[in-house]
Amino acid sequence: MRSPLPRSLRGQLTAGLVALLALACAAVGVTTVLALRGFLVGRLDQQLSASAGRFAASLEHEAKPDADNQPDTRGQANGTFGARLLRGAPTQAAVVRQTNDARVPLTAHDRGALAALPTDGTGRTVHLSAVGAYRLNAVSGDDGDILVTGLPMHPVEETVHRLEAVEAAVFGGALLATGVVGALWVRLSLRPLRRVTATAAGVAELPLASGEVAMPAPVPVVDPRTEVGRVGTALNRMLGHVGNALERRQASEERLRQFAADASHELRTPVANVRGHAELALRHRGPVPGEVRHALERINAESERMSRLVDDLLLLARLDAGRALERTPVDLTRLVLVATDDARAAGPDHRWLLDLPETAVTVIGDEHRLHQVLGNLLANARTHTPAGTAVTVRLRAASGTVRLTVADDGPGVPDELRPEVFGRFVRADHGRSRAAGGTGLGLAIVHAVVTAHRGTVALASRPGRTAFTVTLPKSAPADGPQGAPADG
């Protein structure tokens, strides 16, 4: 069940302000109503005490037919109640009207209530069936009777209800105005906190894991002594530490990339020389001992593998450095056909299937590098699946993009390997990969080349189906790099 309370700090502060004001208004309203009611009832009690039961005493003459013996209503307020009790039972009861008195019919409940009144001269509020709520005062008469005088409570209740209505209207308007003004004030007061939130959200969206990151500008702090100011100051300090750490990491990565590029470039020549001398020694016409020939063949094979490793490392280093790729029209359909033919020749024990559109699919990119992407994906499928596995290459063109999928019905990629499958030197089967001459950089090169083309590559794998999907834009981005190939 959703909580009715607001979740935002602004809503909670506004609701708390309105709630506190509502409690204050309720306390003031209850206090003023009770005070006014007590004051008005006290005035009634004073009037009853001042009357001293004169009207009730005059009721003993009511039964006499002489007009001069009518109850004395002079000086009595309109609505004054009078009753005379003999031996605890009411004998006469009347109410003063405009010009004379009117008899009041009393029920058994009314008689019992009148008989229960103490004769201490203190006012009591009693509800009479015929006339409603009255403030009654009972005193002892001269003839051993009890004289009861009362004034109506209706004016008091009417005045109190009118005050309650006025207070409800005034307090309601005050609460509404306070809610609106308070919400605006809280919004204005929390504006620096919104800037802190926006800055933190912007930092959370930055690719902090890799690449050079431009940290956002510090949050302006108006008053560091306030809570919001302290939060902003702490955030700025944290951003400074994070920025310094990112700068040091970026500098370290740059030095590492430069070292990889320089080392790979410097290793190309000696590796080529070793390979050349090994090939030259193998072509020697004279007799060569079997052990020496075997050693030369191993030197040649390992130097060839080292040469591929150096070339892959050099390519990754140049892509990391942002070296531009060639941007020319590339017929992907033709590349798929050529790469699949090469894979079929390298893996004749696999089944190679094509799913291509009727019309040629063309993108803008580096043909050599895209061919390398296709070759690496097909080699990956061939290397890590058993004989007889079906590998399907599917090519589709959509609005503005091209989607290339290499899928197989092999055992799938292990769960623990999927998060780092595009990492460098990652191998699913170390023994097979090394035996086949793999370097563990094939999928890393796929990811780097596709990213350099402003595309994406994704993996979906389960037992019985593994699919690598490459999505490329058909045309070069407006701000895409232009220039010579990166491997020059």
Side-chain angles (χ1 to χ4, degrees):
M1 182 177 179
R2 186 176 180 180
S3 174
L5 298 177
R7 295 184 178 181
S8 65
L9 179 60
R10 183 179 66 185
Q12 291 179 2
L13 291 177
T14 304
L17 177 64
V18 174
L20 290 176
L21 182 59
L23 290 177
C25 291
V28 172
V30 170
T31 302
T32 54
V33 167
L34 293 178
L36 178 62
R37 183 184 179 86
F39 173 76
L40 295 178
V41 171
R43 292 292 300 271
L44 289 181
D45 291 342
Q46 291 178 4
Q47 295 179 26
L48 292 175
S49 299
S51 66
R54 288 192 300 272
F55 175 59
S58 67
L59 295 178
E60 62 178 330
H61 306 295
E62 185 183 32
K64 298 180 181 181
D66 189 357
D68 294 337
N69 293 327
Q70 294 295 321
D72 185 12
T73 61
R74 291 174 297 175
Q76 302 297 328
N78 184 35
T80 302
F81 172 84
R84 183 169 177 263
L85 288 74
L86 292 175
R87 292 181 294 280
T91 58
Q92 306 291 337
V95 174
V96 175
R97 299 304 184 196
Q98 293 294 335
T99 57
N100 56 4
D101 65 306
R103 292 183 180 181
V104 178
L106 299 175
T107 63
H109 177 270
D110 296 340
R111 293 175 183 275
L114 292 175
L117 288 173
T119 58
D120 55 0
T122 303
R124 301 286 192 280
T125 300
V126 178
H127 189 277
L128 301 177
S129 303
V131 291
Y134 262 72
R135 190 70 176 179
L136 301 180
N137 185 334
V139 296
S140 299
D142 296 336
D143 300 330
D145 54 359
I146 297 176
L147 304 178
V148 179
T149 306
L151 291 173
M153 290 289 294
H154 174 69
V156 174
E157 299 295 341
E158 185 179 17
T159 303
V160 170
H161 291 332
R162 186 176 301 172
L163 176 63
E164 290 174 346
V166 171
E167 286 182 341
V170 173
F171 292 160
L175 289 176
L176 180 61
T178 301
V180 175
V181 176
L184 296 176
W185 177 257
V186 171
R187 181 182 179 87
L188 182 63
S189 301
L190 295 181
R191 186 168 56 183
L193 187 59
R194 290 198 301 273
R195 289 196 292 263
V196 171
T197 304
T199 302
V203 173
E205 295 176 357
L206 292 176
L208 301 180
S210 61
E212 186 174 2
V213 179
M215 297 299 294
V219 178
V221 178
V222 178
D223 189 354
R225 295 172 299 179
T226 63
E227 289 80 0
V228 177
R230 288 196 291 270
V231 171
T233 302
L235 179 64
N236 289 338
R237 188 180 300 113
M238 182 190 70
L239 291 179
H241 293 330
V242 172
N244 293 334
L246 290 176
E247 289 179 359
R248 290 194 296 269
R249 186 209 67 188
Q250 181 65 20
S252 177
E253 290 183 354
E254 290 293 338
R255 288 193 298 269
L256 182 59
R257 292 194 190 100
Q258 188 62 40
F259 169 77
D262 294 342
S264 300
H265 187 272
E266 294 298 328
L267 283 174
R268 295 178 80 176
T269 300
V271 168
N273 291 335
V274 170
R275 183 178 176 184
H277 285 295
E279 293 177 352
L280 180 61
L282 287 173
R283 290 197 296 267
H284 181 65
R285 296 179 180 181
V288 177
E291 296 83 358
V292 176
R293 179 172 293 276
H294 176 71
L296 290 174
E297 290 174 350
R298 293 303 305 148
I299 292 173
N300 185 54
E302 290 301 318
S303 62
E304 182 178 356
R305 193 175 73 86
M306 185 178 293
S307 178
R308 289 197 302 269
L309 174 61
V310 169
D311 290 341
D312 290 344
L313 287 174
L314 185 59
L315 171 61
L316 288 173
R318 288 173 173 175
L319 290 176
D320 289 340
R323 292 284 295 272
L325 296 176
E326 190 177 51
R327 298 293 182 181
T328 58
V330 179
D331 187 350
L332 271 186
T333 305
R334 185 182 64 81
L335 278 186
V336 169
L337 293 173
V338 173
T340 306
D341 286 341
D342 295 340
R344 184 178 292 110
D349 51 353
H350 284 65
R351 292 186 295 122
W352 303 94
L353 306 176
L354 293 176
D355 184 2
L356 304 177
E358 295 180 357
T359 59
V361 177
T362 304
V363 298
I364 301 299
D366 190 317
E367 181 175 359
H368 177 63
R369 295 309 173 196
L370 292 178
H371 186 275
Q372 190 172 9
V373 167
L374 280 167
N376 287 356
L377 291 177
L378 294 173
N380 182 76
R382 172 176 53 82
T383 304
H384 299 290
T385 57
T389 301
V391 181
T392 303
V393 183
R394 181 176 295 106
L395 184 61
R396 291 289 183 271
S399 177
T401 60
V402 173
R403 179 170 295 179
L404 172 68
T405 304
V406 177
D408 63 71
D409 57 0
V413 180
D415 294 340
E416 65 276 8
L417 192 63
R418 292 176 192 173
E420 54 181 9
V421 70
F422 295 108
R424 300 177 183 183
F425 300 104
V426 175
R427 296 183 179 90
D429 185 345
H430 295 273
R432 289 185 60 186
S433 294
R434 291 187 182 275
T439 62
L441 297 175
L443 293 181
I445 291 176
V446 169
H447 183 270
V449 172
V450 171
T451 302
H453 281 82
R454 302 296 191 268
T456 59
V457 57
L459 167 65
S461 181
R462 55 179 172 78
R465 175 173 170 78
T466 298
F468 288 89
T469 301
V470 174
T471 304
L472 297 171
K474 284 186 177 181
S475 58
D479 56 347
Q482 303 290 336
D487 58 343

